[in-house]
Amino acid sequence: MKNRVNPELLPGLEMFPELDLQPEFLQAIREGAAQMNQPAMVDESLSLNDEIIPGPDANPLRLRIYRPKSQNEALPALLWIHGGGYILGSVDDNDDLCMRFVQEANCVVVSVDYRLAPEHPYPAPIEDCYSALKWIADHAAELNIDPHSIGVAGASAGGGLTAALTLLARDRQYPSLCFQMPLYPMIDDRNNTPSTNEIKAGFVWNQQTNEAGWKMYLGELYGTDRIPAYAAPARAEDYSNLPYTYTCVGQLDPFRDETIAYVTKLAQAGVDVEFHLYPGAYHGFEGINPGAAISVRATNEYIQAVKNGFERVVKVKA
């Protein structure tokens, strides 16, 4: 299988450790990942600050807000949701990307530090994300954002939460979203597609780690037929009336086939959707090998997709 990997992406793959996602090892893995996060170099033209808001269970919910200092008009807003298999990651993971969204897509970005499983299984993470989204819409005037130009994005588990949150906002009829960008999303708990069976071990994320993540996220729901679409969006039966969607996945990602199925269902439901399949790319390739040409191209396409999502709103208004 490694002979199919883009040569530029091999160094990152060979350096990435095998993950043993037993609950007793999680804290050590989380601490190790946190130590690898270098403090972001904040551009002088931007402001970055953390805000604590009430979460859905009266829990303190941390949001990180990125915005241009010279903001003189209402800007679009993007809610960013970090990845980590529903069990890892934090708001500190994607500072550089969030700042690029602000600078190049001319928007305000809010990143949510949702609670993690297994300490906080479904529905805590998705409800935290909904609380963050609702807070953005409720405070549009205070934040100086356009309430008609709110999008949601995230990668991996953050992509799964993005897809779930978009369904939830549609069904709760608030707030209205103009686009979503679930990148290589973790959306199917059944873990039985051809691509998950291809990637049984290694490759950053695989069938084994995927099973561990879903078991911890779903808790007692795991393995039952009672799993709602807000937990695993691949189980949704109605994909209509969802906003413009951009998504992508690597050809050597276990999420390849669930993403392709998701794109197909969106298109069949009449949703405008753009999709990119990256050959020779495994899960999270662009974050592990940021300087590789394919990674630079993928990240630039994320930026462009956000710009496109907000520009579509401007064109509709015109």
Side-chain angles (χ1 to χ4, degrees):
M1 183 72 76
K2 279 191 177 181
N3 64 347
R4 296 174 57 193
V5 175
N6 181 312
E8 281 196 286
L9 304 179
L10 273 173
L13 182 60
E14 290 170 349
M15 291 178 59
F16 199 87
E18 289 283 343
L19 295 176
D20 187 349
L21 295 181
Q22 300 302 313
E24 59 266 30
F25 302 139
L26 269 187
Q27 191 56 38
I29 294 172
R30 289 171 179 168
E31 291 172 359
Q35 290 174 4
M36 294 176 63
N37 277 329
Q38 298 297 318
M41 297 291 292
V42 181
D43 189 284
E44 291 183 359
S45 67
L46 304 181
S47 72
L48 186 159
N49 68 282
D50 288 356
E51 178 105 16
I52 303 297
I53 68 167
D57 301 315
N59 55 295
L61 181 59
R62 180 166 63 134
L63 307 179
R64 180 160 294 172
I65 304 172
Y66 312 77
R67 64 190 316 142
K69 288 181 179 178
S70 60
Q71 181 182 349
N72 297 314
E73 60 181 345
L75 294 179
L78 178 70
L79 175 65
W80 175 259
I81 307 174
H82 71 77
Y86 300 108
I87 57 178
L88 304 169
S90 80
V91 76
D92 299 318
D93 292 350
N94 304 117
D95 283 334
D96 289 338
L97 180 59
C98 289
M99 287 189 287
R100 282 196 64 187
F101 287 138
V102 175
Q103 292 173 308
E104 299 179 43
N106 193 30
C107 63
V108 173
V109 175
V110 178
S111 181
V112 55
D113 207 15
Y114 58 90
R115 291 169 292 174
L116 300 174
E119 298 92 337
H120 304 284
Y122 174 84
I126 185 62
E127 290 295 348
D128 280 356
C129 292
Y130 183 76
S131 290
L133 180 63
K134 185 175 183 298
W135 182 86
I136 293 170
D138 289 348
H139 293 80
E142 175 187 333
L143 294 168
N144 197 16
I145 63 169
D146 179 354
H148 304 293
S149 297
I150 300 175
V152 182
S156 191
L161 287 165
T162 294
L165 184 59
T166 303
L167 290 168
L168 192 61
R170 178 199 66 183
D171 294 345
R172 291 181 178 176
Q173 300 182 12
Y174 183 82
S176 177
L177 298 176
C178 66
F179 85 98
Q180 65 160 340
M181 187 171 71
L183 305 171
Y184 42 90
M186 183 176 174
I187 55 176
D188 193 344
D189 63 288
R190 291 163 290 200
N191 201 26
N192 61 2
T193 64
S195 57
T196 56
N197 281 300
E198 285 175 18
I199 313 295
K200 291 183 176 293
F203 284 81
V204 179
W205 196 258
N206 52 61
Q207 192 176 55
Q208 294 178 42
T209 52
N210 200 40
E211 180 180 22
W214 278 114
K215 280 183 176 179
M216 285 185 267
Y217 181 51
L218 294 176
E220 62 182 17
L221 289 174
Y222 183 79
T224 73
D225 59 1
R226 297 181 287 113
I227 298 169
Y230 307 133
R235 290 180 174 266
E237 296 181 357
D238 179 10
Y239 292 92
S240 64
N241 299 313
L242 294 176
Y244 160 71
T245 301
Y246 175 85
T247 185
C248 70
V249 71
Q251 193 167 351
L252 303 179
D253 190 318
F255 299 157
R256 181 193 68 209
D257 293 338
E258 61 200 69
T259 302
I260 290 172
Y262 177 63
V263 167
T264 300
K265 290 176 181 178
L266 288 173
Q268 290 171 345
V271 176
D272 290 339
V273 57
E274 294 186 43
F275 170 62
H276 200 127
L277 180 67
Y278 290 101
Y282 48 82
H283 190 75
F285 68 96
E286 83 289 12
I288 297 169
N289 310 268
I294 191 173
S295 301
V296 171
R297 180 156 55 93
T299 305
N300 286 341
E301 287 179 353
Y302 304 164
I303 304 295
Q304 188 60 49
V306 172
K307 293 172 68 174
N308 291 346
F310 291 139
E311 286 172 0
R312 288 166 65 93
V313 178
V314 174
K315 289 177 181 177
V316 169
K317 288 180 179 178

